[in-house]
Amino acid sequence: MSVTDLTTQAGWMVGLAIVALLGTGWRKTARATARTPRKAPVVRRNWVPICVAQTTVGLYRRPNVVRRVWALVASSAIAVVMGAVLAVVIAFALAFTIITLTDLLKQ
């Protein structure tokens, strides 16, 4: 069996699996049923009101420009670092998988 045949068969399997998943997601449910309670509802007899204290609060002030710029820089740096780490992990996993599969084909 050649690599081209193996790739073609794998492509067909992936395509058929996607069609099967889409087909199972479009079916209707059998019927709608009402949920039955498993135990009697809890009745509270000693009801005590909760007191709420209302206090005034100062108006909202937007953060200054330096703080907003720092938030933008920090979030961008975190996104770049996480992207680089994710790219390295995915590349290593793909390289390992390809090396392992090609070694199996040589046997």
Side-chain angles (χ1 to χ4, degrees), residues 29-92:
T29 56
R31 65 176 173 204
T33 56
R35 292 181 179 250
T36 56
R38 294 188 180 266
K39 63 179 183 178
V42 177
V43 178
R44 300 187 75 167
R45 297 178 189 219
N46 298 332
W47 184 74
V48 179
I50 299 172
C51 297
V52 178
Q54 295 182 359
T55 58
T56 58
V57 180
L59 294 176
Y60 173 74
R61 292 182 303 146
R62 291 174 51 173
N64 59 7
V65 177
V66 174
R67 189 170 183 133
R68 284 189 279 171
V69 169
W70 174 248
L72 179 68
V73 169
S75 61
S76 299
I78 290 173
V80 168
V81 168
M82 289 301 293
V85 168
L86 192 62
V88 167
V89 169
I90 290 173
F92 179 76

Side-chain angles (χ1 to χ4, degrees), residues 3 6-7 94-107:
V3 177
L6 185 66
T7 305
L94 284 175
F96 180 76
T97 304
I98 290 170
I99 290 169
T100 303
L101 290 176
T102 53
D103 284 344
L104 289 176
L105 288 174
K106 291 178 183 178
Q107 291 180 356

